[in-house]
Amino acid sequence: MDYQEFTYSTLQGLPLMATFYPSTHSEGSRTILYIHGGGLVWGSRKDLPADYIDLFHKAGYNFLTFDYPLAPETTLPEIVASIKQGIQWFHKVATSELNLSSSDFHLFGRSAGAYLAFLVCKDQTLPQPKSLISFYGYEAINASFYSKPSHYYLRFPKVSVELKNAIIGNKPLASGAIEERYGIYMYARQSGHWLDMVLPAILQATKYSLTDTDLLSLPPTFLAQSTTDEDVPYEIGESLAKKIPINQFVSVENEPHDFDKNPKNPKALAVYHQLIQWLTSHEIKKDSN
């Protein structure tokens, strides 16, 4: 799969990269911007299986993925700022450096990446996506599921403060393997201290959450979540579907949080096909207006 890599910003000497996967089936006006998940503490811009990118390509969508600095080495205000810089960078270079015919984009995030996508849409001073795609995401960090110990994660061996501290580095990083970083997230969910690690001042939680009024102003939104999500309560997806004016909510039965981890899973493939059909229908509506 052909791709190009760019540095869209830097943070304390750390390059923040974007990877662009152009579609040979596109006229250059359709682009998906992707933000990876990982609880804000692990993950990589290259975490989406190539099978899914290929599906987007065949439907005529270019695909661009972003780095962002990970917590807790970097806190949420700087993480959000980097995503905003990435959006602004794309809007600036879409036609000049990426050779696209339009800077229009659809914003796609999974889990914590979907949360960051929601925050981007809250800022109306930024270029806004034509649609928002949230896979098992959430719109607020002041929700109780993150501020209280998780019954699910308490089933596993307890991660000590000492182990958590040993994993955390002393400089920003933009990619971290789950095998190396998961202990940080496990500690946060077992203790209920996730918010303490990502936000320097808890009183800022409202600033980094969407209200019901904010949800009313979102672009058309595609939501997908498993009914047995062990990480983000399924009720959050149901609530978003009731509050976002134009949306499609797809329930996936009896799968884990990241139901699309395996691209060979028929349930996951079905959701991606539904997503592409939904995107295409909105493109047709836009072109006919």
Side-chain angles (χ1 to χ4, degrees):
M1 185 177 293
D2 292 335
Y3 64 88
Q4 299 169 272
E5 295 196 327
F6 303 86
T7 299
Y8 75 83
S9 184
T10 59
L11 176 67
Q12 299 178 32
L14 173 71
L16 296 175
M17 306 292 293
T19 302
F20 180 59
Y21 303 87
S23 171
T24 59
H25 302 271
S26 171
E27 75 279 9
S29 64
R30 299 175 175 179
T31 304
I32 306 287
L33 304 191
Y34 172 72
I35 309 172
H36 71 81
L40 302 179
V41 304
W42 87 87
S44 162
R45 71 180 187 277
K46 297 182 178 181
D47 76 341
L48 192 72
D51 303 58
Y52 298 137
I53 298 177
D54 188 55
L55 288 178
F56 286 117
H57 278 172
K58 289 177 179 177
Y61 291 91
N62 305 293
F63 202 83
L64 188 143
T65 68
F66 288 116
D67 278 342
Y68 58 84
L70 301 178
E73 288 86 350
T74 304
T75 56
L76 187 57
E78 291 174 302
I79 294 171
V80 174
S82 72
I83 296 295
K84 292 181 179 181
Q85 289 169 354
I87 300 292
Q88 292 166 329
W89 171 85
F90 170 78
H91 194 258
K92 179 180 178 181
V93 306
T95 57
S96 58
E97 294 187 42
L98 302 182
N99 298 314
L100 303 176
S101 61
S102 171
S103 59
D104 288 352
F105 65 96
H106 303 270
L107 192 58
F108 176 23
R110 296 195 298 163
S111 198
Y115 162 65
L116 294 174
F118 278 117
L119 286 184
V120 167
C121 291
K122 180 179 179 178
D123 186 347
Q124 295 296 313
T125 68
L126 291 171
Q128 289 295 302
K130 298 302 176 184
S131 71
L132 174 62
I133 305 161
S134 168
F135 275 34
Y136 37 91
Y138 47 94
E139 84 287 8
I141 56 170
N142 49 12
S144 62
F145 82 97
Y146 259 147
S147 61
K148 296 179 180 178
S150 163
H151 294 297
Y152 172 77
Y153 285 101
L154 286 171
R155 294 162 45 189
F156 299 96
K158 186 175 181 180
V159 175
S160 67
V161 175
E162 292 76 17
L163 176 58
K164 179 263 296 184
N165 289 340
I167 300 172
I168 298 171
N170 56 11
K171 60 182 180 180
L173 74 163
S175 178
I178 187 172
E179 296 82 4
E180 299 170 356
R181 305 275 297 177
Y182 197 60
I184 301 174
Y185 186 69
M186 182 75 76
Y187 167 83
R189 296 306 307 274
Q190 288 177 338
S191 66
H193 289 162
W194 178 79
L195 195 55
D196 299 317
M197 294 199 306
V198 303
L199 199 60
I202 301 301
L203 293 177
Q204 292 182 323
T206 300
K207 179 180 178 182
Y208 293 96
S209 299
L210 274 67
T211 64
D212 287 355
T213 301
D214 293 325
L215 294 176
L216 289 174
S217 64
L218 289 179
T221 303
F222 185 94
L223 304 158
Q225 189 170 4
S226 171
T227 57
T228 51
D229 191 324
E230 73 282 4
D231 208 321
V232 177
Y234 177 73
E235 292 74 22
I236 288 181
E238 291 183 308
S239 175
L240 289 169
K242 292 176 181 177
K243 295 175 181 178
I244 299 171
I246 302 174
N247 76 83
Q248 180 168 339
F249 180 39
V250 176
S251 294
V252 183
E253 297 293 330
N254 302 318
E255 290 289 328
H257 171 64
D258 51 347
F259 65 80
D260 57 339
K261 182 177 181 179
N262 178 6
K264 305 303 181 185
N265 182 343
K267 293 182 182 179
L269 284 172
V271 175
Y272 276 84
H273 282 294
Q274 286 177 274
L275 167 58
I276 290 170
Q277 183 179 25
W278 181 83
L279 284 170
T280 303
S281 69
H282 280 276
E283 294 283 359
I284 292 172
K285 290 177 183 178
K286 182 186 74 173
D287 291 343
S288 64
N289 290 337

